[in-house]
Amino acid sequence: MSASYPSEDNEADEPLPEPKKPAADRPILVTGATGYVGGRLVPRLLEAGYRVRAVGRSLDKLRARPWAAHANVQLQAVDVLDAESLARAMAGCGVCYYLVHSMNPRHRDFESADREAAIQVAQTAARSGITRIIYLSGLGEDASALSKHLRSRREVEALLAEGPVPVTVLRAAMIIGSGSASFEILRYLVERLPVMITPRWVYTPCQPIAIRNVLYYLQACLNVQETIGKTFDVGGANTLTYRELMEIYAQEACLPRRWILPVPVFTPRVSSYWIHLVTPVPASIAQPLAEGLRNPVVCQENRIQHLIPQPLLSAREAVRLALQRMQDHQVESHWTDAGALQVPEWLHPGDPNWAGGTVYEDRRRMILAGEPEEIWQPIVRIGGQTGWYYGNWMWGLRGILDLFFGGIGLRKGRRHPVHLFPGDALDFWRVLAVDAPWKLLLAAEMRVPGEAVLEFQLNSRRPGETELVQTARFRPYGLLGMLYWWLVTPLHHWVFNGMLKGIAKASGRKLCKGPNPVKVLSAGGKASP
């Protein structure tokens, strides 16, 4: 595991027993390796001596992981909905960890996407010689009253089991760990709201489990034959209500007492919008999670504890450990890591009309006395707690407007104050490319009538002198997008020039020239202002 991000799964007061490693002549396939759980499971398997084939939708995101250069890992870009790429990933592998689900803004109908993916995985696994599938599902009593999210997890279990490959299912409740979506919802609600008017689900019993315990179960299943073809409930050391969990968080975070006032009028939809406004989690993810909160998620059986014994953390211990990881900037994976990383085709060189028609650009540059490595430092720290070096109140206002129009707002922040990797969330941007100390490319995730990217490019002009070029590119969607560009263009002079001057000041290097606008032609052949 990387020294940059110590793992939350193996650092606590009482160490976990070391799972026995079976003889394995074939690599282990981990789907969803750039997701929250997969991103932590891969290094644990590597440390245990396994060969791992880590797959995800973006090869760039996989290559940016701290464990990507390990001698025993193979990286491969795979879409589980594509039979051909999935077959290539499964070829020669033994066990397959299925850690993929479609509950993200890209899939409005996540149930249908998960259903199709499960069928594809089951069929391809049978043809590829996979010996076993291990699936992380959701805890909850089998009943018609299950939320759509939990009902979809049950359906995936059944579809995987219909194939000839034996399936091990671990059903987990809320996973507590730095960066998990459920933990981020809890954190933001409690930290931002001293008085909370909540739905009645705050009295629903739950049995949250620490991420370190989940990862131990997932790995140890490899060597416990009794788990093959079986389904197990996995939970933490204690059962409590969500209200009690909120109170525990406030105590561990050293916050004043929170006043929690349950009311019967909050529907799951209203709850999801409230979560969307207060936390970085978008309504498309918050709604299925909020619906699931009405279902008791408590272990109905504890067979796994006898087959795979380990010290289970209490909810308080898990919260304390997650908070410590965040304070130390050691968040190994984050819920925002999941998803495809797609560089817009219109950014690639080629015929501009084929690439997407009109693309507007605003390009500015300045010359600084210093080496690229020195100028790079404030650039790579941009966003999050550092801010945007100029007009932070305007960026904040833009984030508020984005929230009210259904966007993600400015609250995603960043995982680490210094390090950036492709795929990282950065406020309401997504990191597309990092080439230190030369280039940082960001794609906008805020609500705009088009596609927008922001690029910082450093060029070494001569020894001791560096050129910084900042380029904003925008591909509009129709007339509305064109009007949007021309409306915001007058603000660029203040915002972008101020940002560049702020970067220069933060670098501590002398500003020799600029910032000055650079006249460019848009991809559609039109001059951008």
Side-chain angles (χ1 to χ4, degrees):
M1 196 164 295
S2 166
S4 298
Y5 297 110
S7 173
E8 215 160 321
D9 67 303
N10 59 6
E11 296 184 20
D13 294 336
E14 187 175 358
L16 294 177
E18 185 64 30
K20 294 180 180 179
K21 176 184 174 297
D25 57 351
R26 293 197 283 175
I28 295 170
L29 178 67
V30 179
T31 64
T34 57
Y36 180 73
V37 176
R40 299 187 182 213
L41 179 63
V42 170
R44 185 178 180 86
L45 294 173
L46 292 171
E47 284 187 351
Y50 293 100
R51 289 189 298 137
V52 177
R53 185 172 297 165
V55 304
R57 281 177 288 184
S58 170
L59 193 57
D60 286 338
K61 287 174 67 175
L62 287 166
R63 287 171 176 162
R65 292 298 178 261
W67 36 261
H70 196 286
N72 284 339
V73 72
Q74 304 168 13
L75 309 179
Q76 195 167 328
V78 169
D79 183 347
V80 295
L81 296 176
D82 178 53
E84 185 176 340
S85 69
L86 189 59
R88 288 196 300 269
M90 289 185 170
C93 290
V95 175
C96 169
Y97 282 97
Y98 187 53
L99 304 174
V100 174
H101 66 89
S102 305
M103 197 178 67
N104 65 61
R106 294 179 62 251
H107 294 284
R108 292 294 179 183
D109 185 2
F110 68 87
E111 289 181 289
S112 176
D114 277 342
R115 183 182 307 117
E116 184 179 349
I119 293 172
Q120 193 69 259
V121 167
Q123 293 176 348
T124 308
R127 293 193 298 266
S128 303
I130 293 291
T131 60
R132 184 183 181 190
I133 298 172
I134 300 177
Y135 174 57
L136 181 61
S137 184
L139 192 59
E141 298 180 22
D142 293 313
S144 58
L146 282 178
S147 68
K148 288 175 62 177
H149 169 50
L150 293 176
R151 191 168 62 242
S152 176
R153 294 295 184 96
R154 289 292 186 277
E155 183 181 25
V156 169
E157 292 178 21
L159 291 170
L160 292 175
E162 285 180 0
V165 180
V167 181
T168 297
V169 177
L170 302 182
R171 295 176 174 174
M174 173 185 180
I175 296 177
I176 298 182
S178 59
S180 77
S182 297
F183 182 73
E184 287 292 278
I185 290 175
L186 172 70
R187 180 169 76 92
Y188 275 88
L189 287 175
V190 177
E191 289 185 356
R192 292 180 176 268
L193 301 175
V195 178
M196 285 181 275
I197 300 175
T198 64
R200 286 178 295 184
W201 52 249
V202 293
Y203 290 118
T204 303
C206 63
Q207 194 171 349
I209 183 169
I211 181 63
R212 71 189 296 267
N213 292 134
V214 173
L215 294 172
Y216 186 84
Y217 280 138
L218 285 169
Q219 181 191 345
C221 278
L222 291 173
N223 197 45
V224 180
Q225 298 299 306
E226 293 86 349
T227 62
I228 297 177
K230 304 291 179 58
T231 298
F232 301 92
D233 291 352
V234 297
N238 58 318
T239 300
L240 66 170
T241 66
Y242 288 102
R243 175 172 185 153
E244 291 171 323
L245 191 56
M246 290 177 176
E247 292 170 345
I248 286 173
Y249 182 92
Q251 293 165 9
E252 291 300 318
C254 300
L255 298 171
R257 179 183 177 186
R258 268 33 192 167
W259 297 90
I260 303 172
L261 308 174
V263 294
V265 294
F266 265 65
T267 65
R269 181 177 293 274
V270 173
S271 297
S272 68
Y273 291 138
W274 182 241
I275 291 171
H276 171 75
L277 288 174
V278 177
T279 81
V281 180
S284 57
I285 293 178
Q287 184 169 342
L289 290 177
E291 288 178 348
L293 294 176
R294 71 171 187 255
N295 297 119
V297 282
V298 179
C299 293
Q300 301 300 302
E301 50 84 20
N302 297 306
R303 291 171 298 144
I304 194 75
Q305 295 182 23
H306 302 290
L307 294 174
I308 305 175
Q310 63 166 316
L312 294 174
L313 268 64
S314 67
R316 182 177 297 276
E317 290 171 327
V319 167
R320 183 180 304 157
L321 188 58
L323 286 172
Q324 185 62 51
R325 292 292 176 269
M326 293 175 57
Q327 181 179 332
D328 296 339
H329 303 300
Q330 295 175 349
V331 181
E332 187 184 359
S333 63
H334 197 275
W335 70 271
T336 57
D337 294 342
L341 182 62
Q342 298 176 332
V343 178
E345 289 188 350
W346 49 267
L347 286 180
H348 299 158
D351 183 349
N353 292 319
W354 172 86
T358 298
V359 176
Y360 295 110
E361 287 193 7
D362 185 302
R363 182 176 298 172
R364 296 164 191 270
R365 69 171 189 165
M366 64 181 179
I367 309 296
L368 295 140
E371 299 299 331
E373 291 80 5
E374 298 170 311
I375 316 303
W376 176 255
Q377 294 309 311
I379 294 175
V380 79
R381 288 182 169 89
I382 203 165
Q385 294 297 317
T386 299
W388 292 83
Y389 296 110
Y390 180 82
N392 284 329
W393 69 270
M394 287 189 285
W395 290 99
L397 178 61
R398 180 65 179 86
I400 292 173
L401 292 174
D402 194 56
L403 277 175
F404 279 99
F405 282 101
I408 62 174
L410 197 63
R411 286 194 301 271
K412 277 191 176 181
R414 50 182 293 161
R415 179 172 58 178
H416 195 278
V418 175
H419 303 296
L420 281 180
F421 300 103
D424 278 0
L426 180 59
D427 292 342
F428 44 42
W429 301 85
R430 178 74 58 174
V431 179
L432 290 183
V434 183
D435 182 16
W438 306 108
K439 177 181 175 181
L440 174 64
L441 181 62
L442 309 175
E445 291 192 324
M446 75 282 279
R447 294 272 183 166
V448 290
E451 300 173 49
V453 298
L454 182 63
E455 180 183 71
F456 298 90
Q457 181 81 45
L458 291 174
N459 303 306
S460 184
R461 289 169 54 89
R462 59 177 64 94
E465 191 173 279
T466 299
E467 177 189 55
L468 169 56
V469 181
Q470 175 190 276
T471 307
R473 296 185 179 91
F474 182 72
R475 178 189 172 217
Y477 291 160
L479 180 60
L480 181 61
M482 298 171 70
L483 290 173
Y484 172 83
W485 175 259
W486 290 103
L487 284 172
V488 300
T489 292
L491 298 176
H492 290 174
H493 175 76
W494 290 280
V495 175
F496 289 158
N497 279 4
M499 185 189 303
L500 288 170
K501 291 177 181 177
I503 291 173
K505 181 179 179 180
S507 73
R509 313 311 297 173
K510 179 183 175 182
L511 178 57
C512 301
K513 184 179 179 180
N516 298 315
V518 179
K519 288 290 184 179
V520 296
L521 290 178
S522 72
K526 300 179 181 180
S528 292

